[in-house]
């Protein structure tokens, strides 16, 4: 039995809307397909990420939310890492490294303290050696 349809969406309720829009839109260069600005404390934006969406929402009163982790597969994680390292406002919590379970990844912290893991599968990169 199929229980779910086609859309997957993660939602982050944030205190600093502008900082998060800068992080995901300008920093990670994610494309948005929808946003709203109904009031200073009722704003949101939806970003397209691979086969799903990430929605950033500023709403009063805020919905309590702890830190979360998301993983985004990159075309080439090494190229992505070197591109993003040029942006001095991005906070890297872990540098580029290979994992024994077959991925190469790095981690960032968004302005809300969420863990953002960017990765590629080593076999899709055709890499079996050390980090370049």
């Amino acid at each position: 039995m199929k229980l779910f349809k086609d859309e997957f969406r993660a939602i982050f309720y944030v205190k600093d809307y502008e900082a998060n829009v800068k992080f995901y839109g300008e920093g990670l260069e994610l494309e948005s397909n929808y946003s709203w600005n109904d009031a200073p404390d009722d704003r949101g934006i939806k970003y397209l990420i691979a086969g799903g969406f990430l929605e950033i929402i500023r709403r009063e009163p805020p919905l309590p939310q702890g830190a979360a982790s998301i993983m985004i597969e990159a075309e080439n994680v090494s190229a992505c890492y070197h591109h993003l390292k040029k942006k001095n406002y991005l906070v890297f919590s872990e540098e580029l490294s290979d994992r024994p379970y077959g991925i190469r990844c790095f981690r960032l912290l968004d302005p809300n303290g969420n863990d953002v893991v960017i990765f590629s599968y080593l076999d899709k990169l055709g890499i079996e050696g050390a980090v370049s």
Side-chain angles (χ1 to χ4, degrees):
M1 173 193 331
K2 184 176 178 181
L3 297 176
F4 303 104
K5 297 282 287 172
D6 299 323
E7 184 174 319
F8 170 79
R9 187 183 315 185
I11 301 173
F12 290 160
Y13 290 90
V14 301
K15 292 181 181 181
D16 190 337
Y17 181 76
E18 288 80 11
N20 281 275
V21 168
K22 181 176 182 178
F23 177 85
Y24 288 102
E26 185 181 320
L28 298 187
E29 302 177 17
L30 299 179
E31 180 183 339
S32 171
N33 69 336
Y34 179 77
S35 66
W36 72 93
N37 187 357
D38 294 337
D41 288 327
D42 187 3
R43 298 180 284 172
I45 189 165
K46 186 163 72 169
Y47 291 106
L48 305 166
I49 304 178
F53 302 94
L54 174 63
E55 198 163 345
I56 303 297
I57 297 176
R58 170 70 179 133
R59 185 163 294 147
E60 276 301 325
L63 181 66
Q65 183 173 344
S69 291
I70 61 170
M71 292 183 74
I72 304 170
E73 183 179 4
E75 288 288 334
N76 181 319
V77 71
S78 298
C80 181
Y81 171 80
H82 293 296
H83 179 75
L84 295 181
K85 280 297 274 189
K86 297 174 186 171
K87 299 179 183 191
N88 63 358
Y89 57 88
L90 295 178
V91 177
F92 287 77
S93 57
E94 186 177 304
E95 300 303 318
L96 188 64
S97 63
D98 293 345
R99 296 288 188 262
Y101 41 88
I103 67 170
R104 176 175 288 178
C105 67
F106 64 94
R107 296 173 115 89
L108 301 139
L109 287 177
D110 80 2
N112 235 40
N114 295 305
D115 177 41
V116 179
V117 181
I118 311 292
F119 75 98
S120 289
Y121 292 102
L122 292 173
D123 62 344
K124 288 183 181 178
L125 294 173
I127 299 170
E128 295 185 29
V131 174
S132 57

